[in-house]
Structures are given as C-alpha cells and as structure tokens.
C-alpha cells in the first residue's frame, strides 16, 4: 500500500466545509488510503486570506491565494471545490476538467446555474464531476438517485433541504425565538451560507431542487424557472394556527413528474403532524422520493455543518480517486442523463391551502371573504377566528384542494377590500 503513488489533491476553500474535509482526511488517513488503494495527499489549499489560522494539521506550505500556482501543478489528480460562489469556482472547475482532473464540489449555487454544461465537459474529458455534498449535507441522496434508483422512475419528491430554514423554524416554534436570533445562531453553528438570504429567501433550496431534478427526473432546469418563497413572512401566530389544525410548518422543495410536465416549487408549507417530515427538526434534512416501482423511500440526516458535509465530500473524493486508479474515470458521471423538461405553471398547481386574513371584526366580512374564495373556485374546509374587541382579528382557514392561481386571485380581491387590515397570506398544505 505505502508503495502506491499518492492521489494528489488541491482543496479550493478552507472555511466551514474545507476545514471539516481536512479534519476527516487527517483523522481517517490510513483507512481512506486502504479504501482508495493509495494515500490521499493534500498539495494545495486555496484561500483568500493566507494569514488566518486554519484547521489543525493544515500545513502552511499548502496555503495559497494563487490559483494559478495550483493549476500549473502537473502532479494533481483531483480538485475539491468548497469555496462557493459562481464565477471563480466555475472558472477553476472548468479549467480543472479541461485538464482531465477529477472534480468534487459542494457548490449547488454553481451546479444550479452551470451543472449540465460542466457535466458535459467532464464527460467529454473522460473524467468525473462529483457533487454529493451539494444537497442534503451528509445525506447520500445524490448517490441514491444516481445509482440505487437508476432502475426505477421517480414520480415524486418532497424535501426539507435547507438546514438553516429548518433549524430556524424549529427554534421559532419550539423556543419562541425571533427570526434574527434564530438566524444568528444558525450562522454561528456554520449552517448558513456566506450570504444568508440565499437560505432564508429559499434560493439555496431552489438550487438544491434543480440539482435533485437533474438526477430524479433527468431534467435540465433553469433555477430562475423554479417558483421560490422563503420563510421571512412566517411568524409565531402561523406556527400556533398550524398546530391547532394538526400541522407543522416546514420549508419544502417539491417535485412531481406528471409525465408531460414537471412540477417544481420551493416554499414553506403545512405538513400534517402524522407525516414523518413534520418531525424532521433542527438542522436535519430529509428527502422523500417516491419511485413508481419502489414506492416511498426516506433519507434523513444532518443537512449542514462542517463534519456531515465533509463526509459527503470525502466520500466523493474516495470514489473519484478509486475510479482514476482503476482506469474508469468518468464512468459514474457518464451515467447522468438529462433533457429539457416543460414545467407546470405554478398557477395550475392543485393543493389544499392554509389562509390567514387580518380584518376588521364587523358584520359581512366573513361572507365577503367566503364569496371571493367561492368566485375563484376555492372551497373552505375549516375556519377559526381569534381576537375580538377594538383591533383587527385573525381569520384562519384551511381549504379543500384548489388551484394555486384561484387562491392568488381571491386574495388579490380580498386584500383590496376596506375591511382588510393587513394583506392576507396563504401557504399550501402537503398531501400524502
Ligand atoms: P465558507 O466557510 O465561507 O468558506 C469558504 C472558503 O473558500 C474560505 O476558506 C474562503 O477563504 C475560500 N474562498 C472563497 N472565495 C474565494 C476566492 N475567490 N478565492 C480563494 N478562496 C476563496 O463556506 P462553507 O460554508 O465552507 O461553504 C463552502 C461551499 O460548500 C459552498 O458552496 C456551500 O454552499 C457548500 N456547502 C456548505 C455547507 C455548510 O454546512 N456550510 C453544507 C453543504 C454545502 P477565506 O477563508 O480566506 O475567506
Ligand atoms: N446553507 C445550507 C443549509 C448549507 O443551511 O442547508 C447546506 O447546503
């Protein structure tokens, strides 16, 4: 074993995830070498600030802010990209693939914008582009879709794929924390993106859904075509009402294959407390896929943070390194096949809904709301009113299955009425 030529690696980025990768490579050094059939040798670590203290065991000689120096190193085998962002990371990955290097990345932002193009390049160059850590942190969902479910047809996917949102919603519901306090703690724990609006406004989940759709539905999808809603508008009262009706609020990435069309969307939703996704709490992620032959299958685990994510990155590194040693580099990447798929417009999506109105408490208001909903084909299932006296009251409803566009139109009408104190809002309800 010690005779084998080492597999030489450049680590691009050494923050939360990069630090975890170095730790795992050091802690499991001998075991990983035996799995690969050769030692894994770090040659370079690319950062912006070369003076910052790094993970224990990170040698000063590895550290550089000069990407050119890395790309000129002819002895390299694999680039591990954990720096994030689109432009610089994209350039370096592209140049690495052009040179025939194996590439491992955790970068869903880049994959959602340029994934198909970079995969095509990897295939053309006969090398691998592996990206397990880009979705679900330490959960092996990419491998499951690419390998284990390759014999089946995925028809449905429901995922809690943003650890920051799930952590924040959990702290807000269970501990009564405010939005800012919950976000600060998610940042301190290393869950949030460098730009946390990517998390709380739903874009990170949309990018992950685009990546999942490549494998689950064989779809080339533009991120901009996925409707996205984040969690900023959810408040303590929504959590209380949801609980009262028998639901929990979760931030979901939803995919459905209707044959002719795909349905892809990202938003908070009410999930029945009896559904296993309702009890996926804190930073845990869960992805439920439903195969035509398999039926439902749930994958759950820690969806963010240094070590869970490092587990996925290093597992990819082991696969890519083994394939190179075995002379089958590029084989796994060639198995990913994608085509353009039409998306169902959000307005045509059918679902039951949760509606919340803040209105003046006076005769005729409820009838007016019910009338607007009825005019748009929306039928009420349950209703509660809370608060009384001087100020506005909350009217909260759940509906039977209705068209998304119908609910939107009814709300536009209701929000224009003089009895409306604050614009009404709605959330879809997840149905089994
Ligand atoms: P991070 O803590 O912000 O670390 C980024 C690292 O990349 C830092 O070491 C930074 O250098 C370096 N870097 C960034 N831009 C650079 C540039 N232009 N040139 C040179 N170095 C640069 O980020 P992270 O949380 O580890 O996330 C890294 C990637 O993993 C992202 O794509 C993220 O979406 C993904 N991811 C993160 C998690 C998670 O839980 N955090 C989970 C799954 C996937 P300095 O240290 O000098 O600033
Ligand atoms: N910011 C991401 C999250 C990291 O919170 O899920 C994992 O991709």
């Amino acid at each position: 074993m010690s005779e084998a030529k080492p597999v030489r690696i450049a680590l691009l980025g050494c923050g939360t995830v990069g630090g975890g990768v170095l730790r795992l490579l050091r802690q499991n050094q001998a075991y990983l070498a035996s799995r690969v059939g050769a030692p894994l040798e770090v040659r370079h670590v690319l950062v912006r600030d070369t003076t910052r203290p790094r993970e224990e065991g990170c040698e000063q000689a590895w550290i550089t802010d000069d990407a050119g120096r890395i790309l000129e190193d002819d002895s390299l085998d694999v680039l591990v990209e954990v720096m994030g962002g689109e432009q610089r990371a994209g350039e370096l990955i592209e140049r690495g693939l052009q040179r025939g290097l194996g590439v491992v990345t955790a970068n869903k932002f880049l994959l959602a914008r340029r994934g198909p193009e970079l995969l095509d390049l990897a295939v053309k160059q006969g090398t691998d582009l592996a990206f397990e850590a880009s979705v679900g942190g330490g959960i092996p969902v990419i491998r499951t879709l690419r390998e284990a479910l390759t014999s089946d047809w995925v028809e449905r996917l429901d995922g809690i794929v943003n650890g920051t949102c799930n952590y924040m919603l959990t702290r807000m519901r269970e501990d009564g924390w405010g939005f800012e306090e919950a976000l600060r703690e998610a940042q301190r724990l290393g869950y949030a993106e460098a730009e946390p609006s990517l998390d709380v406004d739903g874009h990170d989940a949309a990018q992950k859904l685009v990546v999942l759709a490549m494998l689950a539905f064989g779809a080339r999808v533009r991120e901009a075509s996925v409707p996205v809603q984040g969690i900023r508008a959810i408040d303590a009262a929504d959590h209380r009402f949801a609980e009262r009706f028998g639901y929990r609020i979760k931030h979901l990435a939803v995919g459905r294959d209707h044959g002719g069309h795909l349905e892809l969307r990202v938003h908070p939703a009410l999930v029945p407390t009896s559904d296993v996704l309702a009890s996926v709490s804190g930073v845990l992620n869960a992805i439920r896929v439903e195969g035509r032959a398999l039926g439902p299958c749930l994958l759950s685990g820690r969806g963010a943070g240094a070590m869970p994510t490092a587990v996925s990155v290093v597992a990819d590194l082991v696969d890519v390194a083994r394939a190179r040693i075995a002379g089958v580099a590029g084989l796994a990447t060639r198995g990913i096949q994608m085509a353009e798929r039409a998306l169902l417009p959000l307005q045509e999506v059918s679902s039951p809904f949760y509606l919340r109105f803040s209105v003046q408490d006076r005769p005729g208001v409820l009838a007016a709301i019910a009338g607007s909903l009825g005019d748009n084909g929306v039928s009420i299932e349950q209703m509660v009113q809370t608060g009384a006296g001087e100020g506005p009251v909350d009217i909260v409803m759940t509906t039977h299955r209705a068209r998304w566009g119908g609910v939107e139109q009814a709300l536009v009408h209701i929000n224009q009425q003089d009895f409306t104190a604050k614009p009404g809002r709605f959330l879809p309800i997840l149905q089994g």
Side-chain angles (χ1 to χ4, degrees):
M1 174 71 51
S2 56
E3 298 301 309
K5 180 175 161 291
V7 175
R8 295 191 160 142
I9 301 151
L11 185 65
L12 310 180
C14 190
T16 303
V17 180
V21 168
L22 285 181
R23 195 179 321 165
L24 207 59
L25 288 175
R26 186 168 51 83
Q27 286 173 347
N28 296 349
Q29 192 175 15
Y31 170 72
L32 291 169
S34 76
R35 298 303 304 263
V36 172
L40 296 172
E41 184 183 303
V42 177
R43 300 273 293 177
H44 310 277
V45 174
L46 181 71
V47 294
R48 279 176 299 215
D49 179 355
T50 55
T51 63
R52 252 181 65 188
R54 300 291 165 183
E55 175 66 25
E56 189 192 332
C58 178
E59 295 180 18
Q60 195 54 39
W62 299 343
I63 300 275
T64 180
D65 57 3
D66 180 3
R69 183 180 135 195
I70 296 178
L71 290 165
E72 281 161 15
D73 181 347
D74 288 336
S75 71
L76 279 183
D77 296 292
V78 186
L79 295 183
V80 177
E81 187 276 307
V82 285
M83 57 195 268
E86 183 182 0
Q87 188 123 5
R88 193 71 181 123
E91 267 170 39
L92 296 177
I93 289 180
E94 196 176 333
R95 288 176 65 185
L97 291 172
Q98 271 158 353
R99 262 190 55 188
L101 300 182
V103 173
V104 174
T105 179
N107 192 338
K108 59 267 169 169
F109 189 96
L110 174 67
L111 290 167
R113 284 168 171 74
R114 298 186 52 197
E117 172 205 332
L118 293 172
L119 284 163
D120 287 347
L121 179 59
V123 170
K124 181 167 163 245
Q125 297 301 109
T127 190
D128 281 305
L129 172 61
F131 48 95
E132 182 64 74
S134 64
V135 183
I139 305 172
V141 62
I142 300 295
R143 253 181 204 74
T144 302
L145 291 170
R146 200 190 67 216
E147 294 171 16
L149 298 186
T150 193
S151 56
D152 199 5
W153 196 269
V154 176
E155 295 185 318
R156 175 181 169 140
L157 180 157
D158 297 295
I160 295 173
V161 292
N162 185 269
T164 301
C165 284
N166 204 38
Y167 176 83
M168 290 175 65
L169 288 172
T170 303
R171 292 278 76 82
M172 289 161 81
R173 182 180 64 80
E174 288 181 358
D175 306 314
W177 289 13
F179 181 92
E180 293 300 335
E181 186 185 8
L183 175 57
R184 268 197 306 278
E185 189 58 6
Q187 286 176 301
R188 193 188 68 76
L189 292 166
Y191 304 155
E193 296 301 308
E195 174 46 65
S197 68
L198 287 172
D199 296 297
V200 297
D201 293 322
H203 304 294
D204 174 82
Q207 290 156 7
K208 289 168 176 167
L209 183 58
V210 168
V211 175
L212 288 172
M214 289 188 215
L215 294 138
F217 307 123
R220 281 176 188 255
V221 181
R222 281 177 303 109
E223 183 196 341
S225 58
V226 177
V228 182
Q229 238 180 46
I231 60 166
R232 283 186 201 270
I234 308 295
D235 63 20
D238 290 314
H239 284 292
R240 280 198 305 277
F241 287 125
E243 204 90 33
R244 185 163 171 172
F245 286 123
Y247 301 97
R248 294 238 168 104
I249 300 176
K250 293 286 166 192
H251 190 250
L252 295 184
V254 174
R256 305 276 182 270
D257 192 341
H258 297 295
H261 292 85
L262 274 188
E263 187 182 321
L264 297 177
R265 48 194 163 92
V266 166
H267 48 69
L270 271 67
V271 176
T273 47
S274 57
D275 187 310
V276 64
L277 291 180
S279 45
V280 174
S281 296
V283 72
L284 288 182
N285 281 193
I287 298 114
R288 177 169 52 208
V289 288
E290 212 165 303
R292 191 178 287 168
L294 172 74
C297 163
L298 183 81
L299 293 155
S300 176
R302 284 161 70 194
M307 294 320 289
T309 311
V311 166
S312 289
V313 172
V314 177
D316 273 351
L317 177 55
V318 167
D319 278 356
V320 170
R322 286 164 91 177
R324 290 178 84 79
I325 289 172
V328 291
L331 190 63
T333 306
R334 276 209 303 277
I336 302 170
Q337 290 180 353
M338 286 168 282
E340 300 289 335
R341 303 277 316 265
L343 294 187
L344 186 74
L346 187 63
Q347 283 65 28
E348 300 311 319
V349 165
S350 161
S351 171
F353 289 91
Y354 157 94
L355 312 177
R356 180 173 157 202
F357 304 100
S358 176
V359 292
Q360 304 305 329
D361 190 10
R362 64 176 198 234
V365 168
L366 189 55
I369 292 174
S372 291
L373 291 170
D375 290 346
N376 288 284
V378 183
S379 157
I380 297 165
E381 188 213 25
Q382 295 183 68
M383 194 214 84
V384 292
Q385 176 175 327
T386 64
E390 298 293 297
V393 293
D394 271 325
I395 293 182
V396 181
M397 299 171 175
T398 59
T399 74
H400 294 289
R401 199 171 260 284
R403 263 183 73 248
W404 194 296
V407 173
E408 257 177 2
Q409 271 187 311
L411 261 80
V412 167
H413 184 249
I414 293 164
N415 288 343
Q416 287 165 350
Q417 305 308 306
D418 66 352
F419 57 72
T420 292
K422 274 196 283 183
R425 295 191 291 109
F426 68 96
L427 295 173
I429 297 175
L430 183 73
Q431 275 208 323

